[in-house]
Amino acid sequence: MRPERYNVRESEAKWRKAWEDAQIFKTVNDDPRPKYYVLEMFPYPSGRIHMGHVRNYAMGDVVARYRRARGFNVLHPMGWDAFGLPAENAAMQNNTSPAEWTYANIAAMRAQLQSMGLSLDWSREIATCDPSYYKHQQKLFLDFLDAGLVARKKSKVNWDPVDQTVLANEQVIDGRGWRSGAIVEQRELTQWFLKITDYSDDLLASLDRLDRWPEKVRLMQRNWIGRSEGLVIRFVVDQATLGPLAGEPGTNELEIYTTRPDTLFGAKFMAIAPDHPLAGAAAKRDPALAAFIEECRRIGTSVAAIETAEKRGYDTGLKVHHPFDPGWRLPIYVANFVLMEYGAGAIFGCPAHDQRDLDFVRAYGLGVTPVVCPAELDPANFIIDRTAYDGNGVMINSRFLDGLTVEQAKEEVARRLEDITLGDRPQATRQINYKLRDWGVSRQRYWGCPIPIIHCEACGIVPVPAADLPVKLPEDVTFDQPGNPLDRHPTWKHVACPQCAGRATRETDTMDTFVDSSWYFVRFTDPANAAAATDPKMADHWLAVDQYIGGVEHAILHLLYSRFFTRAMRKCGYLDLDEPFAGLFTQGMVVHETYRGADGQWLAPSEVQVETDGDERRAVLLGGGEAVEIGPTEKMSKSKRNTIDPDEIIATYGADTARWFMLSDSPPERDVIWTEAGVQGAYKQVQRLWRLTCEIEHIIGPERPAPPADYGDEARRIRRIAHAALAKIEDEVERLRFNVCIAAIYELANELAAAVGAIGESPVGDDLRAAFAEAGDILVHCFAPMMPHLAEECWEALGHKGFVAQSSWPVADRSLLVSNHVTYVVQVNGKKRGELTIERDADAKRIEGAALALDAVVRAMNDKPARKVIIVPLRIVNVVV
Ligand code: ANZ
Ligand code: ZN
């Protein structure tokens, strides 16, 4: 007799060791089976896994195990996104080195992931901070440089004037340096850029083909790329307003970009970016303007800064002539909401139809004239108050445009201005703009991939020769002073120029860590390749990733950069593919209630006792009994202390329980609320499934009966239930609806338990034993992807040799599921007269009798006898009279 209780701890350790010993999750490249590549976004080695990881990796593992059972050669690898700032901070605080800290974290987290029982091929593990990885990344950079995909441009960085160092965006808190507290300045540095904008159109257009991506992610990418079609219009500057500036280059006209040329007659002002050359020129004669520009610079010109800052402007005193009415003059403001980097760095403002412009004129009293009236409104009653109107409608207050639609008016303005020549060019030209900018990859940091470039006084920029790669990070660095240790290292940066052998220095910037994660999924296809980043054959064989799973926080940058990298790698011959991720799934977060003590301090769930009294929930301090306030349910975070440690859960309940609960409780794209009761419920299921398996085994007996030729009613019913569950779970796993699968497993288990209970101790025929054997196998197969350890134990209990993890998925016999009735079309002399629903296995005589008895048939036969009745099985009955 088997033990009543399933010993989670013993069993989980045993099966993990058995899998490991047999190396069953190791993937070979030249396997003849069809490939399936499932990947979860690799973690940053912060030191410990959190529940979000558990959820993410449990989902990926279900897919991997399911596909393996379905006969695919599955690639399911794991690695570490291992460069980045936290390692430098830790080195600074704990007097260790970033490498030591990182590798210790990797070791700890690897052990944690292994305790989850994930079916990963650990032989393919990579860490992006390893020279064996970043060597190839440096080569990629040099190949991109050769291919014209790298540029060097000036760009702004955050500069801490006290620490004399560049700060990452996350090190700037409320405009101040995180360590020094000094007000951060913007400085221009020459930096390296990857030319992602070469692919703007392609990256946008291809989104349409990614039909296994969530629509919301595609929309976010579309918005980020931000394609817009508009018009560049040249406004003539009123020379009389120029004063001493008259004649200075670039002062006689102002070029703007607009997507709404139809609103030109609603214009109230012009606005230029603080760094616009005309602003600089005007500031020369106006110190207050110079001060205003300086202030705008300090706030910064990031999109986020601009969106939150109050709209402010400064009247330069300059004016332009309206293109359709020289007598109409518009003032030029310098405004903090106009970006130099977009369009022409200048706009005309139409407050009635643009919210920013409206906010602006409300502050500066410039008036509002609506020019587009919603079709259903009378223009006389149409008033713009606090909200601009950006919808469609009919043109009003717009002279020759009146009565046109917005689209017609846009076209009319474009046509007219294209026909006017100013100097030797038309006054307006059509233009397509993108929000997407080239990707600045230079970081003034130590713990990143060194950019493989040498600066020679004589030769300029010299790539490090391929034979000298990798450019390794020096290990003897200190973090006792601010700034980049590579800059102050005594020897590392001084080298002989590879071209002229003269004195030269290394580039001390390292790459943005997003570069590291932009091609790791490619590296997994051939991770030990020392000669090159990829073997194109392997890359093309494995890619695209069939199912990628990760957090929606990576919906924009990581995915866009990876899509760009794939295209750039194709250009350089590393692979032949454009879209790296055929299927994408973004999972929801793991959330938990929050608790606060009487002193307002956050309390951890482990410090709190929650009591339920009917619908009422109350919490008290564990031990103390003081009342605790139950706060909202929020994403698990250290700051709110509402985290649950996966290690503790796995130690108490086992990995299967943790996985099961993560998958069971809500649809995978939604947030899952972690509750103690939920985990306990999952644990009960583990025990229950074990007991049920033992009971089924008892019914089957020591010998498995061969499948009989005929099944009795009860055996047929059991088979139908099992195959229905199997078919359902197949369909739902493929749609990643894990919670629905689990519900179906519960249902199957309930039905089987009831059937077992009904048998009690009465004798069981071979057909029923065979049906139970089959149903037991199906049950175990169905939960094996979610609870792999328990499944092995049950598989063994059912008398199988070998691993369920390696056995094939049972074939769902869908013919068992079809209903017992079929519907025939009934014809008289070939003409449809009615329908007949009858048992599937009814014989010809019964079908004929029932068809001839139908009212519609009797009428159509008109008292004539049937000469012949032709039956097409399961489809048609034709009565010939
Ligand atoms: C006049 C106008 C009237 C506008 C109106 C909008 C509504 P997208 O789709 O983002 O390309 N714009 C142009 N360049 C800008 C810059 N450098 N900084 C800030 N804003 C800028 O939008 C283009 C619109 O954004 C342009 O059309 C311009 O304002 C503004 F009823 O021109 B519009
Ligand atoms: Zn040189």
Side-chain angles (χ1 to χ4, degrees):
M1 200 55 201
R2 292 194 172 267
E4 266 291 294
R5 258 189 113 59
Y6 170 66
N7 186 328
V8 172
R9 196 180 302 215
E10 243 172 53
S11 168
E12 292 197 348
K14 175 182 76 187
W15 290 111
R16 276 200 299 275
K17 175 155 191 322
W19 294 330
E20 167 71 23
D21 289 348
Q23 291 282 298
I24 63 169
F25 302 128
K26 200 171 149 80
T27 306
V28 266
N29 279 346
D30 54 2
D31 185 298
R33 291 172 298 171
K35 70 95 182 178
Y36 194 93
Y37 187 176
V38 52
L39 184 67
E40 301 96 62
M41 292 180 182
F42 67 162
Y44 176 77
S46 57
R48 306 195 59 74
I49 64 168
H50 53 65
M51 280 298 175
H53 292 125
V54 174
R55 193 174 193 207
N56 190 192
Y57 301 134
M59 287 181 190
D61 202 44
V62 171
V63 175
R65 287 175 180 273
Y66 172 74
R67 291 289 166 178
R68 224 176 265 118
R70 294 306 301 255
F72 289 89
N73 184 32
V74 171
L75 178 56
H76 187 213
M78 181 55 75
W80 310 96
D81 190 10
F83 274 135
L85 204 50
E88 289 187 42
N89 294 343
M92 222 178 287
Q93 279 152 19
N94 312 332
N95 199 22
T96 122
S97 82
E100 241 174 79
W101 183 84
T102 305
Y103 281 105
N105 287 350
I106 288 176
M109 288 174 73
R110 184 192 301 116
Q112 287 187 296
L113 289 184
Q114 284 172 341
S115 77
M116 280 183 66
L118 303 170
S119 64
L120 291 163
D121 179 356
W122 284 101
S123 73
R124 293 183 187 242
E125 179 181 357
I126 53 183
T128 57
C129 65
D130 202 293
S132 67
Y133 181 82
Y134 69 65
K135 168 187 176 177
H136 303 293
Q137 187 162 308
Q138 293 174 336
K139 182 66 167 50
L140 283 167
F141 182 90
L142 296 178
D143 287 349
F144 290 2
L145 184 66
D146 268 349
L149 290 169
V150 177
R152 224 165 128 64
K153 297 190 246 184
K154 276 199 185 293
S155 144
K156 288 190 197 128
V157 294
N158 306 305
W159 178 256
D160 184 324
V162 170
D163 274 355
Q164 294 280 306
T165 186
V166 176
L167 298 178
N169 284 337
E170 55 272 29
Q171 294 175 312
V172 181
I173 296 155
D174 295 332
R176 291 172 183 272
W178 67 305
R179 266 161 52 101
S180 69
I183 291 188
V184 171
E185 296 169 6
Q186 303 287 312
R187 279 216 176 168
E188 284 220 318
L189 290 186
T190 306
Q191 310 205 46
W192 293 99
F193 287 81
L194 296 182
K195 289 165 73 180
I196 188 170
T197 58
D198 280 12
Y199 295 94
S200 298
D201 245 338
D202 184 18
L203 288 168
L204 181 67
S206 302
L207 287 172
D208 293 340
R209 287 188 281 115
L210 294 174
D211 53 3
R212 287 206 294 122
W213 279 40
E215 183 48 38
K216 70 166 184 231
V217 173
R218 292 196 282 170
L219 185 64
M220 283 155 92
Q221 296 234 336
R222 271 186 207 114
N223 289 340
W224 190 262
I225 295 168
R227 182 182 195 274
S228 78
E229 290 180 14
L231 205 60
V232 173
I233 305 178
R234 298 158 65 207
F235 283 68
V236 177
V237 177
D238 177 359
Q239 296 298 304
T241 60
L242 276 170
L245 294 177
E248 277 209 32
T251 55
N252 53 356
E253 66 175 50
L254 177 62
E255 211 172 77
I256 62 97
Y257 175 72
T258 179
T259 49
R260 296 294 306 274
D262 53 299
T263 65
L264 205 45
F265 289 103
K268 294 294 173 189
F269 65 96
M270 311 297 290
I272 59 179
D275 348 356
H276 194 281
L278 194 57
K284 280 194 212 149
R285 62 171 197 195
D286 184 349
L289 173 56
F292 176 75
I293 292 173
E294 200 39 52
E295 198 184 323
C296 293
R297 285 215 180 109
R298 244 181 285 122
I299 297 168
T301 48
S302 71
V303 176
I306 281 173
E307 249 149 44
T308 49
E310 184 198 344
K311 311 279 168 288
R312 292 183 51 204
Y314 186 98
D315 187 353
T316 61
L318 304 177
K319 288 186 166 35
V320 296
H321 299 287
H322 193 281
F324 291 122
D325 184 347
W328 178 356
R329 297 182 317 155
L330 295 156
I332 304 180
Y333 279 74
V334 174
N336 66 348
F337 64 90
V338 181
L339 291 155
M340 190 58 217
E341 293 78 20
Y342 186 67
I347 63 164
F348 77 79
C350 174
H353 304 291
D354 183 292
Q355 192 60 45
R356 286 171 308 181
D357 297 350
L358 184 62
D359 297 344
F360 191 76
V361 299
R362 292 294 182 218
Y364 294 94
L366 297 166
V368 179
T369 305
V371 291
V372 180
C373 181
E376 69 281 6
L377 280 189
D378 178 351
N381 301 332
F382 182 47
I383 292 165
I384 300 284
D385 182 26
R386 293 275 138 202
T387 321
Y389 176 68
D390 61 6
N392 262 318
V394 182
M395 300 308 302
I396 54 170
N397 303 324
S398 294
R399 307 189 193 180
F400 55 85
L401 299 176
D402 282 352
L404 298 185
T405 65
V406 166
E407 276 319 304
Q408 289 167 334
K410 279 184 186 171
E411 186 55 34
E412 184 62 20
V413 170
R415 227 178 33 72
R416 286 191 186 222
L417 291 179
E418 278 173 326
D419 279 351
I420 302 174
T421 308
L422 270 187
D424 53 0
R425 290 185 297 137
Q427 186 158 13
T429 36
R430 295 171 206 247
Q431 194 172 79
I432 291 172
N433 271 328
Y434 295 90
K435 295 247 158 54
L436 186 63
R437 295 286 91 125
D438 278 336
W439 173 15
V441 295
S442 296
R443 295 292 179 274
Q444 293 70 37
R445 312 240 70 92
Y446 165 77
W447 193 233
C449 170
I451 294 175
I453 292 289
I454 289 167
H455 299 276
C456 169
E457 281 161 29
C459 317
I461 303 272
V462 182
V464 172
D468 296 349
L469 298 180
V471 177
K472 274 199 198 171
L473 287 170
E475 278 163 33
D476 50 341
V477 288
T478 51
F479 291 89
D480 47 359
Q481 359 171 352
N484 180 353
L486 296 177
D487 277 329
R488 54 172 191 266
H489 192 279
T491 53
W492 183 80
K493 81 174 189 182
H494 303 286
V495 284
C497 168
Q499 277 174 17
C500 72
R503 282 164 50 107
T505 55
R506 287 192 188 286
E507 171 72 65
T508 58
D509 286 353
T510 54
M511 293 184 210
D512 179 5
T513 56
F514 272 111
V515 177
D516 314 338
S517 53
S518 291
W519 70 284
Y520 78 107
F521 49 90
V522 185
R523 184 67 183 164
F524 278 137
T525 66
D526 194 21
N529 189 339
T534 66
D535 172 345
K537 273 204 309 294
M538 286 306 114
D540 293 345
H541 169 68
W542 281 113
L543 292 166
V545 174
D546 296 277
Q547 185 63 62
Y548 197 31
I549 309 179
V552 75
E553 67 275 17
H554 294 298
I556 299 180
L557 293 182
H558 163 58
L559 294 172
L560 198 60
Y561 291 154
S562 299
R563 298 178 63 218
F564 159 69
F565 243 76
T566 310
R567 285 160 169 80
M569 288 178 80
R570 179 178 58 187
K571 186 168 185 189
C572 298
Y574 284 95
L575 41 70
D576 184 15
L577 165 94
D578 52 2
E579 288 300 338
F581 310 123
L584 172 72
F585 187 82
T586 53
Q587 91 269 1
M589 294 183 302
V590 184
V591 299
H592 195 288
E593 262 180 353
T594 50
Y595 308 103
R596 266 181 208 260
D599 54 359
Q601 297 294 314
W602 298 107
L603 293 168
S606 58
E607 299 169 318
V608 174
Q609 165 109 38
V610 178
E611 294 157 356
T612 28
D613 179 6
D615 286 347
E616 189 108 0
R617 299 181 74 248
R618 268 178 301 139
V620 292
L621 203 58
L622 210 61
E626 277 168 58
V628 167
E629 182 196 338
I630 300 183
T633 298
E634 290 179 40
K635 175 180 179 174
M636 285 189 181
S637 77
K638 286 204 192 101
S639 62
K640 303 242 163 104
R641 300 196 62 209
N642 60 340
T643 56
I644 299 287
D645 181 6
D647 266 357
E648 274 172 35
I649 296 297
I650 291 173
T652 313
Y653 298 103
D656 285 344
T657 296
R659 295 167 58 125
W660 184 258
F661 177 54
M662 275 302 183
L663 297 166
S664 66
D665 220 45
S666 44
E669 68 279 7
R670 298 250 198 88
D671 292 351
V672 60
I673 304 175
W674 184 276
T675 64
E676 189 65 21
V679 184
Q680 284 170 3
Y683 181 70
K684 281 203 195 102
Q685 281 304 318
V686 170
Q687 294 299 343
R688 192 169 159 244
L689 287 169
W690 170 244
R691 272 198 313 276
L692 176 59
T693 309
C694 294
E695 285 161 2
I696 291 175
E697 184 227 350
H698 183 68
I699 290 176
I700 303 169
E703 282 293 321
R704 284 198 156 218
D710 263 327
Y711 288 94
D713 281 350
E714 176 63 356
R716 276 228 302 277
R717 193 181 71 88
I718 300 243
R719 293 197 71 211
R720 201 161 52 237
I721 291 166
H723 281 270
L726 179 62
K728 166 111 181 141
I729 286 160
E730 262 172 42
D731 295 345
E732 300 296 352
V733 169
E734 284 177 19
R735 296 158 64 192
L736 309 182
R737 305 219 306 174
F738 309 116
N739 60 318
V740 180
C741 294
I742 287 180
I745 293 168
Y746 278 142
E747 212 176 298
L748 173 60
N750 288 343
E751 295 270 14
L752 293 179
V756 167
I759 290 173
E761 287 306 312
S762 38
V764 184
D766 274 359
D767 67 327
L768 197 50
R769 285 172 55 220
F772 267 111
E774 185 187 40
D777 287 358
I778 286 177
L779 176 68
V780 173
H781 266 291
C782 287
F783 68 73
M786 295 100 176
M787 297 203 282
H789 309 87
L790 174 67
E792 295 294 0
E793 197 72 37
C794 293
W795 192 243
E796 193 181 61
L798 289 174
H800 295 286
K801 300 269 175 293
F803 299 109
V804 67
Q806 272 187 310
S807 62
S808 348
W809 190 256
V811 179
D813 184 348
R814 290 181 190 243
S815 74
L816 289 174
L817 319 182
V818 292
S819 97
N820 288 332
H821 287 78
V822 288
T823 300
Y824 284 85
V825 168
V826 182
Q827 304 172 333
V828 176
N829 288 342
K831 188 157 183 213
K832 179 175 171 180
R833 294 295 178 179
E835 284 183 353
L836 170 69
T837 297
I838 195 164
E839 307 84 60
R840 172 177 290 274
D841 53 4
D843 61 11
K845 228 174 126 211
R846 220 182 99 63
I847 296 170
E848 184 177 324
L852 293 175
L854 286 177
D855 280 349
V857 173
V858 171
R859 258 180 278 122
M861 287 171 70
N862 207 4
D863 287 340
K864 279 183 243 148
R867 284 200 284 135
K868 207 152 92 182
V869 177
I870 303 159
I871 298 173
V872 181
L874 306 180
R875 293 184 53 208
I876 301 170
V877 182
N878 188 20
V879 182
V880 183
V881 293

